[in-house]
Amino acid sequence: MECAVIGGTGLIGSRVVEDLNAAGHHATPHSLSTGVDILTGKGLDQAVEGAEVVVNLTNSPTFDDASAGFFRTSMDNLLAASAKAGVRHFVILSIVGVEKVPDLDYYRAKVLQEDILKAGPVPYSIVRATQFMEFMEAAFSWTSDDHTVRLPATPIQPIAAADVAAAVSEVAAGAPLNGTVDVAGPDVYQLDELGRLTLAAKGDGRSVVTDGTAGMFAAVRGDVLTNRGARLAPTHYEDWLARA
């Protein structure tokens, strides 16, 4: 199949391009660096021309209330170009439990992105993933200093980026779901526990303080960032950490 991967040079997109091509499809990466601007529409018609599948892996440059405008404009432009080109399947990557965290601007914006896709003119699939293992250290940095890292005890089920890409590629190569599939890592941790495990593995002597008000995930209640009923990926966090 001919696949246009928008955001195809990023962490997930570059892996999706590799996976689809390795499976015998023809996947082409598109991004600002290749001359495609999803906000102005520049280069979009050319990017999706001849594509049977469009995979949109672009992300808002901010996590504040401006993210809603990014997803609305980019999805409107991408869906219009895809419908014009006769694209038969449109895939996006979203977040497990995203509709259950209305207090976060970015999560509301991702729900908006999903809703625009569902109401759009192209058959679709939504892949929802739990938090990426690659982003855990960034999450720790939000509330850290030279001596401590403050983290809530929020349950989290991290997944490796390579496993996310494999799931997206599998869905993209299949028939449109006109629905959603959840993928998650194999293990559930509390975020503060995950912080201690990560710092110890890296020889970082800082201590982790459990703080229910610290960082973005403090706004999350319950276990909405996990899904034990999801398709479970094979990579365990401790194995990934040993290789990172």
Side-chain angles (χ1 to χ4, degrees), residues 3-79:
C3 307
V5 183
I6 314 299
T9 59
L11 175 66
I12 303 299
S14 58
R15 288 174 167 89
V16 168
V17 169
E18 291 177 5
D19 288 349
L20 286 170
N21 285 331
H25 305 292
H26 183 240
T28 304
H30 301 283
S31 65
L32 272 174
S33 63
T34 69
V36 175
D37 189 327
I38 58 174
L39 295 180
T40 67
K42 178 185 176 183
L44 263 185
D45 287 346
Q46 293 83 358
V48 302
E49 185 178 1
E52 300 164 76
V53 181
V54 168
V55 183
N56 177 23
L57 298 170
T58 59
N59 201 9
S60 169
T62 68
F63 296 100
D64 56 19
D65 57 2
S67 56
F70 171 87
F71 286 119
R72 180 178 296 282
T73 300
S74 60
M75 287 298 292
D76 286 348
N77 288 340
L78 281 163
L79 286 170

Side-chain angles (χ1 to χ4, degrees), residues 11 15 131-138 159-162 237 240:
L11 175 66
R15 288 174 167 89
Q131 303 303 307
F132 300 167
M133 294 176 184
E134 285 77 0
F135 292 165
M136 287 298 97
E137 285 191 73
I159 185 171
Y237 185 73
W240 175 86

Side-chain angles (χ1 to χ4, degrees), residues 8 53 75 87 90 125 147 150 165 178 193 197 204 214 220 226 229:
V53 181
M75 287 298 292
V87 170
F90 196 110
S125 299
H147 305 289
R150 309 185 74 85
N178 290 317
E193 173 194 4
L197 178 66
D204 189 321
V220 178
T226 70

Side-chain angles (χ1 to χ4, degrees), residues 1 24 38-40 55 57 60 67 91 96 107-108 116 119 124 128 134-135 153 171-172 189 195 205 210 220 222 228:
M1 292 188 299
I38 58 174
L39 295 180
T40 67
V55 183
L57 298 170
S60 169
S67 56
V91 181
V96 164
Y107 276 50
R108 290 199 305 274
I116 291 170
Y124 71 90
R128 284 182 168 185
E134 285 77 0
F135 292 165
V171 168
Y189 301 87
T210 303
V220 178
R228 296 173 190 270

Side-chain angles (χ1 to χ4, degrees), residues 74-135:
S74 60
M75 287 298 292
D76 286 348
N77 288 340
L78 281 163
L79 286 170
S82 295
K84 179 181 175 182
V87 170
R88 299 203 297 262
H89 189 186
F90 196 110
V91 181
I92 65 168
L93 177 61
S94 192
I95 306 168
V96 164
V98 69
E99 78 286 2
K100 299 176 183 178
V101 193
D103 291 341
L104 294 182
D105 292 329
Y106 179 71
Y107 276 50
R108 290 199 305 274
K110 288 295 289 185
V111 171
L112 174 64
Q113 183 191 30
E114 291 188 4
D115 289 344
I116 291 170
L117 180 61
K118 292 173 185 177
V122 183
Y124 71 90
S125 299
I126 299 170
V127 179
R128 284 182 168 185
T130 51
Q131 303 303 307
F132 300 167
M133 294 176 184
E134 285 77 0
F135 292 165

